mmCIF file of all heavy atoms in Angstrom:
data_model
loop_
_atom_site.group_PDB
_atom_site.id
_atom_site.type_symbol
_atom_site.label_atom_id
_atom_site.label_comp_id
_atom_site.label_asym_id
_atom_site.label_seq_id
_atom_site.Cartn_x
_atom_site.Cartn_y
_atom_site.Cartn_z
ATOM 1 N N LEU A 6 13.964 1.248 2.715
ATOM 2 C CA LEU A 6 14.322 -0.037 3.318
ATOM 3 C C LEU A 6 13.835 -0.132 4.756
ATOM 4 O O LEU A 6 13.289 -1.162 5.180
ATOM 5 C CB LEU A 6 15.837 -0.232 3.257
ATOM 6 C CG LEU A 6 16.440 -0.527 1.888
ATOM 7 C CD1 LEU A 6 17.956 -0.415 1.938
ATOM 8 C CD2 LEU A 6 16.027 -1.906 1.414
ATOM 9 N N ARG A 7 14.034 0.942 5.500
ATOM 10 C CA ARG A 7 13.597 0.934 6.896
ATOM 11 C C ARG A 7 12.086 0.800 6.990
ATOM 12 O O ARG A 7 11.562 0.061 7.847
ATOM 13 C CB ARG A 7 14.072 2.216 7.592
ATOM 14 C CG ARG A 7 13.780 2.237 9.081
ATOM 15 C CD ARG A 7 14.274 3.522 9.723
ATOM 16 N NE ARG A 7 15.738 3.653 9.625
ATOM 17 C CZ ARG A 7 16.409 4.665 10.148
ATOM 18 N NH1 ARG A 7 15.761 5.638 10.778
ATOM 19 N NH2 ARG A 7 17.717 4.717 10.041
ATOM 20 N N ALA A 8 11.371 1.506 6.112
ATOM 21 C CA ALA A 8 9.910 1.404 6.127
ATOM 22 C C ALA A 8 9.453 0.003 5.762
ATOM 23 O O ALA A 8 8.503 -0.529 6.353
ATOM 24 C CB ALA A 8 9.318 2.429 5.159
ATOM 25 N N SER A 9 10.145 -0.624 4.787
ATOM 26 C CA SER A 9 9.773 -1.990 4.406
ATOM 27 C C SER A 9 9.976 -2.968 5.558
ATOM 28 O O SER A 9 9.141 -3.839 5.812
ATOM 29 C CB SER A 9 10.608 -2.421 3.193
ATOM 30 O OG SER A 9 10.368 -1.586 2.090
ATOM 31 N N HIS A 10 11.105 -2.820 6.254
ATOM 32 C CA HIS A 10 11.390 -3.725 7.365
ATOM 33 C C HIS A 10 10.376 -3.582 8.499
ATOM 34 O O HIS A 10 9.919 -4.582 9.065
ATOM 35 C CB HIS A 10 12.795 -3.462 7.904
ATOM 36 C CG HIS A 10 13.863 -3.669 6.874
ATOM 37 N ND1 HIS A 10 15.139 -3.167 7.012
ATOM 38 C CD2 HIS A 10 13.840 -4.322 5.687
ATOM 39 C CE1 HIS A 10 15.851 -3.500 5.936
ATOM 40 N NE2 HIS A 10 15.090 -4.191 5.128
ATOM 41 N N HIS A 11 10.031 -2.340 8.824
ATOM 42 C CA HIS A 11 9.190 -2.110 9.998
ATOM 43 C C HIS A 11 7.693 -2.169 9.684
ATOM 44 O O HIS A 11 6.881 -2.233 10.611
ATOM 45 C CB HIS A 11 9.539 -0.757 10.623
ATOM 46 C CG HIS A 11 10.883 -0.727 11.285
ATOM 47 N ND1 HIS A 11 11.092 -1.164 12.571
ATOM 48 C CD2 HIS A 11 12.099 -0.341 10.836
ATOM 49 C CE1 HIS A 11 12.374 -1.041 12.890
ATOM 50 N NE2 HIS A 11 13.006 -0.545 11.851
ATOM 51 N N SER A 12 7.329 -2.120 8.404
ATOM 52 C CA SER A 12 5.903 -2.244 8.087
ATOM 53 C C SER A 12 5.412 -3.682 8.269
ATOM 54 O O SER A 12 4.217 -3.904 8.524
ATOM 55 C CB SER A 12 5.648 -1.785 6.648
ATOM 56 O OG SER A 12 6.335 -2.592 5.722
ATOM 57 N N LEU A 13 6.331 -4.658 8.176
ATOM 58 C CA LEU A 13 5.918 -6.054 8.353
ATOM 59 C C LEU A 13 5.502 -6.351 9.788
ATOM 60 O O LEU A 13 4.404 -6.885 10.017
ATOM 61 C CB LEU A 13 7.050 -6.979 7.900
ATOM 62 C CG LEU A 13 7.333 -6.974 6.395
ATOM 63 C CD1 LEU A 13 8.510 -7.873 6.067
ATOM 64 C CD2 LEU A 13 6.103 -7.417 5.617
ATOM 65 N N PRO A 14 6.336 -6.058 10.799
ATOM 66 C CA PRO A 14 5.837 -6.288 12.172
ATOM 67 C C PRO A 14 4.677 -5.383 12.526
ATOM 68 O O PRO A 14 3.818 -5.770 13.338
ATOM 69 C CB PRO A 14 7.071 -5.996 13.048
ATOM 70 C CG PRO A 14 7.966 -5.169 12.211
ATOM 71 C CD PRO A 14 7.741 -5.609 10.796
ATOM 72 N N ALA A 15 4.623 -4.190 11.931
ATOM 73 C CA ALA A 15 3.483 -3.311 12.204
ATOM 74 C C ALA A 15 2.194 -3.902 11.643
ATOM 75 O O ALA A 15 1.125 -3.793 12.252
ATOM 76 C CB ALA A 15 3.729 -1.928 11.605
ATOM 77 N N ALA A 16 2.287 -4.547 10.472
ATOM 78 C CA ALA A 16 1.095 -5.159 9.875
ATOM 79 C C ALA A 16 0.582 -6.329 10.683
ATOM 80 O O ALA A 16 -0.589 -6.697 10.578
ATOM 81 C CB ALA A 16 1.410 -5.601 8.449
ATOM 82 N N SER A 17 1.455 -6.948 11.498
ATOM 83 C CA SER A 17 0.999 -8.056 12.343
ATOM 84 C C SER A 17 0.047 -7.566 13.425
ATOM 85 O O SER A 17 -0.726 -8.357 13.967
ATOM 86 C CB SER A 17 2.209 -8.751 12.979
ATOM 87 O OG SER A 17 2.904 -7.866 13.847
ATOM 88 N N HIS A 18 0.115 -6.279 13.758
ATOM 89 C CA HIS A 18 -0.817 -5.702 14.739
ATOM 90 C C HIS A 18 -2.084 -5.196 14.054
ATOM 91 O O HIS A 18 -3.189 -5.515 14.475
ATOM 92 C CB HIS A 18 -0.138 -4.559 15.499
ATOM 93 C CG HIS A 18 1.010 -5.003 16.346
ATOM 94 N ND1 HIS A 18 0.851 -5.547 17.592
ATOM 95 C CD2 HIS A 18 2.353 -4.973 16.118
ATOM 96 C CE1 HIS A 18 2.040 -5.844 18.119
ATOM 97 N NE2 HIS A 18 2.968 -5.505 17.236
ATOM 98 N N SER A 19 -1.909 -4.405 12.990
ATOM 99 C CA SER A 19 -3.063 -3.884 12.260
ATOM 100 C C SER A 19 -2.590 -3.277 10.951
ATOM 101 O O SER A 19 -1.418 -2.915 10.799
ATOM 102 C CB SER A 19 -3.816 -2.825 13.085
ATOM 103 O OG SER A 19 -3.010 -1.666 13.252
ATOM 104 N N VAL A 20 -3.524 -3.183 10.006
ATOM 105 C CA VAL A 20 -3.210 -2.552 8.721
ATOM 106 C C VAL A 20 -2.926 -1.066 8.920
ATOM 107 O O VAL A 20 -2.079 -0.483 8.226
ATOM 108 C CB VAL A 20 -4.378 -2.761 7.740
ATOM 109 C CG1 VAL A 20 -4.115 -2.028 6.422
ATOM 110 C CG2 VAL A 20 -4.600 -4.237 7.478
ATOM 111 N N ASP A 21 -3.616 -0.456 9.878
ATOM 112 C CA ASP A 21 -3.417 0.972 10.120
ATOM 113 C C ASP A 21 -1.972 1.278 10.516
ATOM 114 O O ASP A 21 -1.393 2.263 10.063
ATOM 115 C CB ASP A 21 -4.366 1.470 11.214
ATOM 116 C CG ASP A 21 -5.802 1.517 10.734
ATOM 117 O OD1 ASP A 21 -6.001 1.511 9.505
ATOM 118 O OD2 ASP A 21 -6.713 1.545 11.578
ATOM 119 N N ARG A 22 -1.387 0.436 11.349
ATOM 120 C CA ARG A 22 0.002 0.666 11.756
ATOM 121 C C ARG A 22 0.949 0.560 10.568
ATOM 122 O O ARG A 22 1.880 1.355 10.423
ATOM 123 C CB ARG A 22 0.409 -0.335 12.827
ATOM 124 C CG ARG A 22 -0.176 -0.055 14.197
ATOM 125 C CD ARG A 22 0.579 -0.845 15.257
ATOM 126 N NE ARG A 22 0.036 -0.640 16.586
ATOM 127 C CZ ARG A 22 0.573 -1.127 17.701
ATOM 128 N NH1 ARG A 22 1.673 -1.878 17.625
ATOM 129 N NH2 ARG A 22 0.030 -0.906 18.872
ATOM 130 N N ALA A 23 0.714 -0.407 9.710
ATOM 131 C CA ALA A 23 1.564 -0.543 8.525
ATOM 132 C C ALA A 23 1.420 0.661 7.611
ATOM 133 O O ALA A 23 2.408 1.157 7.044
ATOM 134 C CB ALA A 23 1.210 -1.824 7.776
ATOM 135 N N LEU A 24 0.205 1.175 7.466
ATOM 136 C CA LEU A 24 -0.005 2.357 6.633
ATOM 137 C C LEU A 24 0.648 3.585 7.242
ATOM 138 O O LEU A 24 1.176 4.440 6.522
ATOM 139 C CB LEU A 24 -1.503 2.599 6.435
ATOM 140 C CG LEU A 24 -2.239 1.583 5.554
ATOM 141 C CD1 LEU A 24 -3.729 1.882 5.532
ATOM 142 C CD2 LEU A 24 -1.672 1.590 4.151
ATOM 143 N N VAL A 25 0.616 3.683 8.557
ATOM 144 C CA VAL A 25 1.266 4.820 9.226
ATOM 145 C C VAL A 25 2.765 4.806 8.958
ATOM 146 O O VAL A 25 3.367 5.843 8.657
ATOM 147 C CB VAL A 25 0.975 4.778 10.741
ATOM 148 C CG1 VAL A 25 1.896 5.735 11.491
ATOM 149 C CG2 VAL A 25 -0.474 5.158 11.011
ATOM 150 N N VAL A 26 3.374 3.634 9.055
ATOM 151 C CA VAL A 26 4.815 3.520 8.781
ATOM 152 C C VAL A 26 5.113 3.939 7.350
ATOM 153 O O VAL A 26 6.039 4.714 7.081
ATOM 154 C CB VAL A 26 5.300 2.083 9.041
ATOM 155 C CG1 VAL A 26 6.736 1.913 8.568
ATOM 156 C CG2 VAL A 26 5.187 1.743 10.517
ATOM 157 N N SER A 27 4.324 3.433 6.406
ATOM 158 C CA SER A 27 4.564 3.745 4.996
ATOM 159 C C SER A 27 4.352 5.223 4.706
ATOM 160 O O SER A 27 5.161 5.849 3.994
ATOM 161 C CB SER A 27 3.640 2.896 4.117
ATOM 162 O OG SER A 27 3.843 1.530 4.348
ATOM 163 N N MET A 28 3.284 5.795 5.224
ATOM 164 C CA MET A 28 2.988 7.201 4.954
ATOM 165 C C MET A 28 4.028 8.117 5.578
ATOM 166 O O MET A 28 4.443 9.116 4.968
ATOM 167 C CB MET A 28 1.595 7.545 5.486
ATOM 168 C CG MET A 28 0.463 6.883 4.714
ATOM 169 S SD MET A 28 0.398 7.419 2.981
ATOM 170 C CE MET A 28 -0.041 9.146 3.196
ATOM 171 N N ARG A 29 4.469 7.796 6.776
ATOM 172 C CA ARG A 29 5.474 8.645 7.408
ATOM 173 C C ARG A 29 6.814 8.538 6.703
ATOM 174 O O ARG A 29 7.553 9.523 6.600
ATOM 175 C CB ARG A 29 5.607 8.287 8.882
ATOM 176 C CG ARG A 29 4.381 8.690 9.693
ATOM 177 C CD ARG A 29 4.583 8.528 11.186
ATOM 178 N NE ARG A 29 3.416 8.962 11.934
ATOM 179 C CZ ARG A 29 3.329 8.999 13.251
ATOM 180 N NH1 ARG A 29 4.349 8.578 13.993
ATOM 181 N NH2 ARG A 29 2.233 9.412 13.859
ATOM 182 N N ALA A 30 7.133 7.361 6.201
ATOM 183 C CA ALA A 30 8.374 7.220 5.432
ATOM 184 C C ALA A 30 8.304 8.031 4.144
ATOM 185 O O ALA A 30 9.255 8.738 3.786
ATOM 186 C CB ALA A 30 8.626 5.753 5.116
ATOM 187 N N GLY A 31 7.183 7.941 3.449
ATOM 188 C CA GLY A 31 7.024 8.740 2.241
ATOM 189 C C GLY A 31 7.048 10.236 2.520
ATOM 190 O O GLY A 31 7.640 11.015 1.769
ATOM 191 N N GLY A 32 6.408 10.648 3.606
ATOM 192 C CA GLY A 32 6.447 12.061 3.976
ATOM 193 C C GLY A 32 7.840 12.538 4.328
ATOM 194 O O GLY A 32 8.243 13.643 3.972
ATOM 195 N N ALA A 33 8.598 11.677 5.022
ATOM 196 C CA ALA A 33 9.970 12.047 5.376
ATOM 197 C C ALA A 33 10.827 12.223 4.131
ATOM 198 O O ALA A 33 11.613 13.168 4.025
ATOM 199 C CB ALA A 33 10.578 10.978 6.292
ATOM 200 N N VAL A 34 10.681 11.319 3.154
ATOM 201 C CA VAL A 34 11.464 11.429 1.916
ATOM 202 C C VAL A 34 11.071 12.691 1.150
ATOM 203 O O VAL A 34 11.937 13.446 0.686
ATOM 204 C CB VAL A 34 11.250 10.178 1.038
ATOM 205 C CG1 VAL A 34 11.900 10.376 -0.329
ATOM 206 C CG2 VAL A 34 11.819 8.956 1.719
ATOM 207 N N GLY A 35 9.770 12.926 1.007
ATOM 208 C CA GLY A 35 9.329 14.111 0.275
ATOM 209 C C GLY A 35 9.798 15.404 0.918
ATOM 210 O O GLY A 35 10.276 16.320 0.230
ATOM 211 N N LEU A 36 9.672 15.498 2.229
ATOM 212 C CA LEU A 36 10.125 16.697 2.933
ATOM 213 C C LEU A 36 11.629 16.879 2.821
ATOM 214 O O LEU A 36 12.124 17.990 2.591
ATOM 215 C CB LEU A 36 9.718 16.620 4.410
ATOM 216 C CG LEU A 36 8.336 17.142 4.780
ATOM 217 C CD1 LEU A 36 8.067 16.890 6.259
ATOM 218 C CD2 LEU A 36 8.217 18.631 4.485
ATOM 219 N N PHE A 37 12.366 15.783 2.964
ATOM 220 C CA PHE A 37 13.822 15.874 2.881
ATOM 221 C C PHE A 37 14.260 16.360 1.511
ATOM 222 O O PHE A 37 15.119 17.246 1.394
ATOM 223 C CB PHE A 37 14.437 14.511 3.178
ATOM 224 C CG PHE A 37 15.942 14.500 3.092
ATOM 225 C CD1 PHE A 37 16.710 14.934 4.165
ATOM 226 C CD2 PHE A 37 16.587 14.063 1.948
ATOM 227 C CE1 PHE A 37 18.092 14.939 4.086
ATOM 228 C CE2 PHE A 37 17.967 14.059 1.866
ATOM 229 C CZ PHE A 37 18.721 14.500 2.933
ATOM 230 N N VAL A 38 13.686 15.800 0.465
ATOM 231 C CA VAL A 38 14.083 16.177 -0.895
ATOM 232 C C VAL A 38 13.770 17.647 -1.168
ATOM 233 O O VAL A 38 14.609 18.395 -1.683
ATOM 234 C CB VAL A 38 13.383 15.270 -1.920
ATOM 235 C CG1 VAL A 38 13.632 15.775 -3.337
ATOM 236 C CG2 VAL A 38 13.870 13.840 -1.778
ATOM 237 N N GLU A 39 12.566 18.060 -0.843
ATOM 238 C CA GLU A 39 12.156 19.440 -1.135
ATOM 239 C C GLU A 39 12.983 20.445 -0.351
ATOM 240 O O GLU A 39 13.441 21.462 -0.900
ATOM 241 C CB GLU A 39 10.667 19.606 -0.802
ATOM 242 C CG GLU A 39 10.106 20.978 -1.128
ATOM 243 C CD GLU A 39 10.036 21.241 -2.619
ATOM 244 O OE1 GLU A 39 9.847 20.281 -3.379
ATOM 245 O OE2 GLU A 39 10.168 22.420 -3.015
ATOM 246 N N THR A 40 13.180 20.178 0.923
ATOM 247 C CA THR A 40 13.903 21.154 1.752
ATOM 248 C C THR A 40 15.392 21.179 1.435
ATOM 249 O O THR A 40 16.008 22.250 1.390
ATOM 250 C CB THR A 40 13.700 20.834 3.240
ATOM 251 O OG1 THR A 40 14.097 19.471 3.502
ATOM 252 C CG2 THR A 40 12.241 20.998 3.633
ATOM 253 N N ILE A 41 15.995 20.017 1.195
ATOM 254 C CA ILE A 41 17.431 19.991 0.922
ATOM 255 C C ILE A 41 17.726 20.650 -0.417
ATOM 256 O O ILE A 41 18.800 21.239 -0.613
ATOM 257 C CB ILE A 41 17.970 18.536 0.957
ATOM 258 C CG1 ILE A 41 19.474 18.525 1.277
ATOM 259 C CG2 ILE A 41 17.732 17.836 -0.340
ATOM 260 C CD1 ILE A 41 19.816 18.940 2.654
ATOM 261 N N SER A 42 16.779 20.590 -1.352
ATOM 262 C CA SER A 42 16.970 21.259 -2.643
ATOM 263 C C SER A 42 17.039 22.768 -2.462
ATOM 264 O O SER A 42 17.964 23.424 -2.964
ATOM 265 C CB SER A 42 15.820 20.887 -3.588
ATOM 266 O OG SER A 42 15.875 21.670 -4.765
ATOM 267 N N PHE A 43 16.087 23.334 -1.740
ATOM 268 C CA PHE A 43 16.083 24.786 -1.549
ATOM 269 C C PHE A 43 17.273 25.242 -0.717
ATOM 270 O O PHE A 43 17.895 26.267 -1.026
ATOM 271 C CB PHE A 43 14.778 25.210 -0.873
ATOM 272 C CG PHE A 43 14.665 26.699 -0.674
ATOM 273 C CD1 PHE A 43 14.205 27.505 -1.695
ATOM 274 C CD2 PHE A 43 15.036 27.284 0.526
ATOM 275 C CE1 PHE A 43 14.105 28.881 -1.515
ATOM 276 C CE2 PHE A 43 14.948 28.646 0.711
ATOM 277 C CZ PHE A 43 14.480 29.453 -0.312
ATOM 278 N N ILE A 44 17.594 24.500 0.327
ATOM 279 C CA ILE A 44 18.715 24.891 1.182
ATOM 280 C C ILE A 44 20.027 24.850 0.401
ATOM 281 O O ILE A 44 20.879 25.731 0.540
ATOM 282 C CB ILE A 44 18.769 23.973 2.417
ATOM 283 C CG1 ILE A 44 17.564 24.251 3.329
ATOM 284 C CG2 ILE A 44 20.069 24.188 3.196
ATOM 285 C CD1 ILE A 44 17.447 23.291 4.491
ATOM 286 N N ALA A 45 20.210 23.840 -0.442
ATOM 287 C CA ALA A 45 21.443 23.736 -1.226
ATOM 288 C C ALA A 45 21.584 24.916 -2.182
ATOM 289 O O ALA A 45 22.663 25.517 -2.299
ATOM 290 C CB ALA A 45 21.469 22.420 -1.994
ATOM 291 N N ILE A 46 20.504 25.253 -2.873
ATOM 292 C CA ILE A 46 20.561 26.387 -3.801
ATOM 293 C C ILE A 46 20.791 27.677 -3.050
ATOM 294 O O ILE A 46 21.568 28.548 -3.494
ATOM 295 C CB ILE A 46 19.267 26.448 -4.626
ATOM 296 C CG1 ILE A 46 19.172 25.227 -5.535
ATOM 297 C CG2 ILE A 46 19.201 27.722 -5.456
ATOM 298 C CD1 ILE A 46 17.881 25.120 -6.288
ATOM 299 N N SER A 47 20.152 27.850 -1.912
ATOM 300 C CA SER A 47 20.346 29.065 -1.114
ATOM 301 C C SER A 47 21.787 29.198 -0.645
ATOM 302 O O SER A 47 22.348 30.301 -0.644
ATOM 303 C CB SER A 47 19.395 29.049 0.089
ATOM 304 O OG SER A 47 18.050 28.996 -0.331
ATOM 305 N N LEU A 48 22.390 28.074 -0.261
ATOM 306 C CA LEU A 48 23.784 28.125 0.189
ATOM 307 C C LEU A 48 24.724 28.472 -0.959
ATOM 308 O O LEU A 48 25.655 29.264 -0.800
ATOM 309 C CB LEU A 48 24.172 26.786 0.813
ATOM 310 C CG LEU A 48 23.560 26.476 2.182
ATOM 311 C CD1 LEU A 48 23.976 25.087 2.644
ATOM 312 C CD2 LEU A 48 23.978 27.511 3.210
ATOM 313 N N VAL A 49 24.497 27.875 -2.130
ATOM 314 C CA VAL A 49 25.348 28.182 -3.283
ATOM 315 C C VAL A 49 25.261 29.655 -3.629
ATOM 316 O O VAL A 49 26.279 30.330 -3.848
ATOM 317 C CB VAL A 49 24.943 27.308 -4.491
ATOM 318 C CG1 VAL A 49 25.662 27.779 -5.753
ATOM 319 C CG2 VAL A 49 25.273 25.847 -4.227
ATOM 320 N N PHE A 50 24.051 30.180 -3.670
ATOM 321 C CA PHE A 50 23.873 31.590 -4.014
ATOM 322 C C PHE A 50 24.343 32.504 -2.889
ATOM 323 O O PHE A 50 25.111 33.453 -3.109
ATOM 324 C CB PHE A 50 22.392 31.865 -4.322
ATOM 325 C CG PHE A 50 22.113 33.300 -4.656
ATOM 326 C CD1 PHE A 50 22.230 33.752 -5.962
ATOM 327 C CD2 PHE A 50 21.734 34.201 -3.672
ATOM 328 C CE1 PHE A 50 21.980 35.082 -6.275
ATOM 329 C CE2 PHE A 50 21.474 35.523 -3.972
ATOM 330 C CZ PHE A 50 21.596 35.965 -5.281
#
């Protein structure tokens, strides 16, 4: 949701800015999911 909201004003400046917002949001989600999975299992064990 945050990426969707902020990619619109970013696109008013340039397509590159909108892509940066989208890519960083996707990277943040991927990193969060992967790391929280391993940390959770490590804590349980």
Side-chain angles (χ1 to χ4, degrees):
L6 288 169
R7 186 180 297 182
S9 299
H10 300 163
H11 290 276
S12 62
L13 292 177
S17 64
H18 295 279
S19 67
V20 176
D21 289 342
R22 286 196 181 186
L24 290 176
V25 167
V26 172
S27 302
M28 291 297 294
R29 290 189 178 184
V34 172
L36 273 176
F37 179 82
V38 172
E39 183 69 31
T40 55
I41 204 69
S42 171
F43 182 84
I44 291 174
I46 294 174
S47 300
L48 288 177
V49 171
F50 179 88

